[in-house]
Amino acid sequence: MNGVHDMGGMAGLGTIDQIPDEPVFRAEWEERAFALMWATGALGKWNLDELRHAIERMPGAEYLATDYYVHWIHCVETLVVEKGIVTRDDLLRAWRGEIGAPNPGSAPMTKDVATHIAMKGLPLAVESNRAAKYQPGDRVLTRTIHPDGHTRLPRYARGKTGVVERVHHVYPFPDTNAHGDARPQHVYLIRFTAQEMWGGDASALDTLCIDLWEDHLDPAA
């Protein structure tokens, strides 16, 4: 989307502070936010792209001023209300201590399941006999789009020419899957030169690879 959440290629955000021997979680509430995300996700009420889009709908100023796991909590609160699992009034009353934490039912999440997901990930590829539109070596042009909703085509990579390096499997198209339409299609690893991305002052030796979906691409002239 065209919001502050798409920070790729932006300047002026400062350096990334590296903390020696940084713990996995800096506070207990971060552990709880991590567990809450997995447990509610196991209910099967939303997909990964809906999750990302829920985070992207945070107000820009709030997003920039809060920590990573605050974004996760916002996402869970947004989705459990939108999917009818609990009401916003329930969440507010629980936050004020007027009632216990809302219970959407027993989520099918166990330690073994969580460990497997953390180590192996989730299978998202779609079985399909659909032929790939592009092949390795094809030159493609990324589309110039400015959606209000979710997209996995970064702003800095729009309207750029690259070369197909690899054809991946068929996956749901994130830009529509975030809104209930899976529209499965092939994913491609596209290689761009740094100069194509950043202009003539960039290194002529550097390249950047991005996984993009078929609907992000057109044949290059």
Coordinates of all heavy atoms in Angstrom, one line a residue, residues 52-91:
R52 N -1.2 -9.2 7.4 CA -0.3 -8.1 7.1 C -1.1 -6.8 6.8 O -0.7 -5.7 7.2 CB 0.5 -8.4 5.8 CG 1.6 -9.5 6.1 CD 2.2 -9.9 4.8 NE 3.5 -10.7 5.0 CZ 3.9 -11.7 4.3 NH1 3.2 -12.0 3.2 NH2 5.0 -12.4 4.6
H53 N -2.2 -7.0 6.1 CA -3.0 -5.8 5.8 C -3.6 -5.2 7.1 O -3.8 -3.9 7.2 CB -4.2 -6.2 4.9 CG -5.0 -5.0 4.4 ND1 -4.5 -3.9 3.9 CD2 -6.3 -4.9 4.3 CE1 -5.4 -3.0 3.6 NE2 -6.6 -3.6 3.8
A54 N -3.9 -6.0 8.1 CA -4.4 -5.4 9.4 C -3.3 -4.6 10.0 O -3.7 -3.5 10.6 CB -4.8 -6.6 10.3
I55 N -2.1 -5.0 10.0 CA -1.0 -4.1 10.5 C -0.9 -2.9 9.7 O -0.7 -1.8 10.3 CB 0.3 -4.9 10.5 CG1 0.2 -6.1 11.5 CG2 1.5 -4.0 10.9 CD1 1.5 -7.0 11.5
E56 N -1.0 -3.0 8.4 CA -0.8 -1.8 7.5 C -1.9 -0.7 7.7 O -1.8 0.4 7.3 CB -0.8 -2.2 6.1 CG 0.4 -3.0 5.7 CD 0.3 -3.6 4.3 OE1 -0.8 -3.7 3.8 OE2 1.3 -4.1 3.8
R57 N -3.0 -1.2 8.4 CA -4.1 -0.2 8.6 C -4.0 0.6 9.9 O -4.8 1.4 10.3 CB -5.5 -1.0 8.6 CG -5.9 -1.3 7.1 CD -7.2 -2.0 7.1 NE -7.1 -3.4 7.5 CZ -8.1 -4.1 8.0 NH1 -9.3 -3.5 8.3 NH2 -8.0 -5.4 8.3
M58 N -2.8 0.3 10.6 CA -2.5 1.2 11.8 C -2.3 2.6 11.3 O -1.7 2.8 10.2 CB -1.3 0.7 12.5 CG -1.4 -0.6 13.3 SD 0.2 -0.9 14.2 CE 0.1 0.3 15.4
P59 N -2.8 3.6 12.0 CA -2.5 5.0 11.7 C -1.0 5.2 11.6 O -0.2 4.7 12.4 CB -3.1 5.8 12.8 CG -4.2 4.9 13.4 CD -3.7 3.5 13.2
G60 N -0.5 5.9 10.5 CA 0.9 6.1 10.3 C 1.7 6.5 11.5 O 2.7 6.0 11.8
A61 N 1.2 7.6 12.2 CA 2.0 8.1 13.3 C 2.1 7.1 14.4 O 3.1 7.0 15.1 CB 1.3 9.4 13.8
E62 N 1.0 6.3 14.6 CA 1.0 5.3 15.7 C 2.0 4.2 15.3 O 2.7 3.7 16.1 CB -0.4 4.8 15.9 CG -0.5 3.7 17.0 CD -1.9 3.1 17.1 OE1 -2.8 3.8 16.5 OE2 -2.1 2.1 17.8
Y63 N 2.0 3.8 14.0 CA 2.8 2.7 13.6 C 4.3 3.1 13.8 O 5.1 2.3 14.3 CB 2.6 2.5 12.1 CG 3.4 1.4 11.4 CD1 3.0 0.1 11.5 CD2 4.6 1.7 10.8 CE1 3.8 -0.9 10.9 CE2 5.4 0.7 10.2 CZ 5.0 -0.6 10.3 OH 5.8 -1.6 9.7
L64 N 4.7 4.3 13.4 CA 6.1 4.7 13.5 C 6.5 4.9 15.0 O 7.7 4.8 15.3 CB 6.3 6.0 12.8 CG 6.1 6.0 11.3 CD1 6.2 7.4 10.7 CD2 7.2 5.1 10.6
A65 N 5.6 5.2 15.9 CA 5.9 5.4 17.3 C 5.9 4.2 18.2 O 6.2 4.3 19.4 CB 5.0 6.5 17.8
T66 N 5.5 3.1 17.6 CA 5.3 1.9 18.5 C 6.3 0.7 18.1 O 6.8 0.7 17.0 CB 3.9 1.4 18.5 OG1 3.5 1.2 17.1 CG2 3.0 2.4 19.1
D67 N 6.4 -0.2 19.0 CA 7.3 -1.3 18.8 C 6.7 -2.4 17.9 O 5.4 -2.5 17.7 CB 7.7 -1.9 20.1 CG 8.6 -1.0 20.9 OD1 9.3 -0.1 20.3 OD2 8.7 -1.1 22.2
Y68 N 7.5 -3.4 17.5 CA 7.1 -4.5 16.6 C 5.9 -5.2 17.2 O 4.9 -5.5 16.5 CB 8.3 -5.4 16.4 CG 8.1 -6.6 15.6 CD1 8.1 -6.4 14.2 CD2 8.0 -7.8 16.1 CE1 7.9 -7.5 13.4 CE2 7.8 -9.0 15.3 CZ 7.8 -8.8 13.9 OH 7.6 -9.9 13.1
Y69 N 6.0 -5.6 18.4 CA 5.0 -6.5 19.0 C 3.7 -5.7 19.3 O 2.6 -6.3 19.4 CB 5.5 -7.2 20.2 CG 6.4 -8.4 19.8 CD1 7.8 -8.3 20.1 CD2 5.9 -9.5 19.2 CE1 8.6 -9.3 19.7 CE2 6.8 -10.5 18.8 CZ 8.1 -10.4 19.1 OH 9.0 -11.4 18.7
V70 N 3.8 -4.4 19.4 CA 2.6 -3.6 19.5 C 1.8 -3.7 18.2 O 0.6 -3.8 18.2 CB 2.9 -2.1 19.8 CG1 1.7 -1.2 19.7 CG2 3.6 -2.0 21.2
H71 N 2.5 -3.8 17.1 CA 1.9 -3.9 15.8 C 1.1 -5.3 15.7 O 0.0 -5.4 15.2 CB 2.9 -3.9 14.7 CG 3.7 -2.6 14.6 ND1 4.8 -2.5 13.8 CD2 3.5 -1.4 15.3 CE1 5.3 -1.2 14.0 NE2 4.5 -0.6 14.9
W72 N 1.7 -6.3 16.3 CA 1.1 -7.6 16.4 C -0.2 -7.6 17.2 O -1.2 -8.1 16.8 CB 2.0 -8.6 17.0 CG 3.1 -9.2 16.0 CD1 3.6 -8.5 14.9 CD2 3.6 -10.5 16.0 NE1 4.5 -9.3 14.3 CE2 4.6 -10.5 14.9 CE3 3.5 -11.6 16.7 CZ2 5.3 -11.6 14.6 CZ3 4.2 -12.7 16.4 CH2 5.1 -12.7 15.4
I73 N -0.2 -6.9 18.3 CA -1.4 -6.8 19.2 C -2.5 -6.1 18.4 O -3.6 -6.5 18.5 CB -1.0 -6.1 20.5 CG1 -0.1 -7.0 21.3 CG2 -2.3 -5.8 21.3 CD1 0.5 -6.3 22.6
H74 N -2.1 -5.0 17.8 CA -3.1 -4.2 17.0 C -3.7 -5.1 16.0 O -4.9 -5.1 15.7 CB -2.4 -3.0 16.3 CG -3.3 -2.3 15.3 ND1 -4.1 -1.2 15.7 CD2 -3.5 -2.5 14.0 CE1 -4.8 -0.8 14.6 NE2 -4.4 -1.6 13.6
C75 N -2.9 -5.9 15.3 CA -3.4 -6.8 14.2 C -4.4 -7.8 14.8 O -5.5 -8.0 14.3 CB -2.2 -7.6 13.6 SG -2.6 -8.9 12.6
V76 N -4.1 -8.5 15.9 CA -5.0 -9.4 16.5 C -6.3 -8.8 17.0 O -7.4 -9.3 16.7 CB -4.3 -10.1 17.7 CG1 -5.3 -11.0 18.5 CG2 -3.1 -11.0 17.3
E77 N -6.2 -7.6 17.6 CA -7.4 -6.9 18.0 C -8.3 -6.6 16.8 O -9.5 -6.8 16.9 CB -7.0 -5.6 18.8 CG -6.4 -5.9 20.1 CD -6.0 -4.6 20.8 OE1 -5.9 -3.5 20.1 OE2 -5.8 -4.6 22.0
T78 N -7.7 -6.1 15.8 CA -8.4 -5.8 14.6 C -9.1 -7.0 14.0 O -10.4 -7.0 13.7 CB -7.5 -5.2 13.5 OG1 -6.9 -4.0 14.0 CG2 -8.3 -4.9 12.2
L79 N -8.4 -8.1 13.9 CA -9.0 -9.3 13.2 C -10.0 -10.0 14.0 O -11.0 -10.5 13.5 CB -7.8 -10.2 12.7 CG -7.0 -9.6 11.6 CD1 -5.7 -10.5 11.4 CD2 -7.8 -9.5 10.3
V80 N -9.8 -10.2 15.3 CA -10.8 -10.9 16.1 C -12.1 -10.2 16.1 O -13.2 -10.8 16.2 CB -10.3 -11.2 17.5 CG1 -9.1 -12.1 17.5 CG2 -10.0 -9.9 18.3
V81 N -12.1 -8.8 16.0 CA -13.3 -8.1 16.0 C -13.9 -8.2 14.6 O -15.1 -8.5 14.4 CB -13.1 -6.6 16.3 CG1 -14.3 -5.8 16.1 CG2 -12.7 -6.5 17.8
E82 N -13.1 -8.0 13.5 CA -13.7 -8.1 12.2 C -14.2 -9.4 11.8 O -15.2 -9.5 11.0 CB -12.6 -7.7 11.2 CG -12.2 -6.2 11.2 CD -11.2 -5.8 10.2 OE1 -10.6 -6.7 9.6 OE2 -11.0 -4.6 10.0
K83 N -13.6 -10.5 12.4 CA -14.1 -11.8 12.1 C -15.2 -12.3 13.0 O -15.7 -13.4 12.9 CB -12.9 -12.8 12.1 CG -11.8 -12.5 11.1 CD -12.3 -12.6 9.7 CE -11.1 -12.3 8.7 NZ -11.5 -12.4 7.3
G84 N -15.7 -11.4 13.9 CA -16.8 -11.8 14.8 C -16.5 -12.7 15.9 O -17.4 -13.3 16.5
I85 N -15.2 -12.9 16.2 CA -14.8 -13.8 17.3 C -15.1 -13.2 18.7 O -15.6 -13.8 19.6 CB -13.3 -14.1 17.2 CG1 -13.0 -14.8 15.9 CG2 -12.8 -14.9 18.4 CD1 -11.5 -15.0 15.6
V86 N -14.8 -11.9 18.8 CA -15.2 -11.1 20.0 C -15.7 -9.7 19.5 O -15.5 -9.4 18.4 CB -14.1 -11.0 21.1 CG1 -13.7 -12.3 21.6 CG2 -12.9 -10.2 20.5
T87 N -16.3 -9.0 20.4 CA -16.7 -7.6 20.1 C -15.6 -6.6 20.6 O -14.9 -6.9 21.5 CB -18.0 -7.2 20.7 OG1 -17.9 -7.2 22.1 CG2 -19.1 -8.3 20.3
R88 N -15.6 -5.4 20.0 CA -14.7 -4.4 20.5 C -15.1 -4.0 21.9 O -14.2 -3.7 22.7 CB -14.7 -3.2 19.6 CG -13.7 -2.1 19.9 CD -13.4 -1.2 18.8 NE -12.9 -1.9 17.6 CZ -11.6 -2.2 17.5 NH1 -10.7 -1.9 18.5 NH2 -11.1 -2.8 16.4
D89 N -16.3 -4.0 22.2 CA -16.7 -3.7 23.6 C -16.2 -4.8 24.6 O -15.8 -4.4 25.7 CB -18.3 -3.7 23.7 CG -18.8 -3.3 25.1 OD1 -18.5 -2.2 25.5 OD2 -19.4 -4.1 25.7
D90 N -16.1 -6.0 24.2 CA -15.5 -7.1 25.0 C -14.1 -6.7 25.3 O -13.6 -6.9 26.4 CB -15.6 -8.4 24.4 CG -17.0 -9.0 24.4 OD1 -17.8 -8.6 25.2 OD2 -17.3 -9.9 23.5
L91 N -13.4 -6.3 24.2 CA -11.9 -6.0 24.4 C -11.7 -4.8 25.3 O -10.9 -4.8 26.2 CB -11.3 -5.7 23.0 CG -11.2 -6.9 22.1 CD1 -10.6 -6.4 20.7 CD2 -10.3 -8.0 22.6

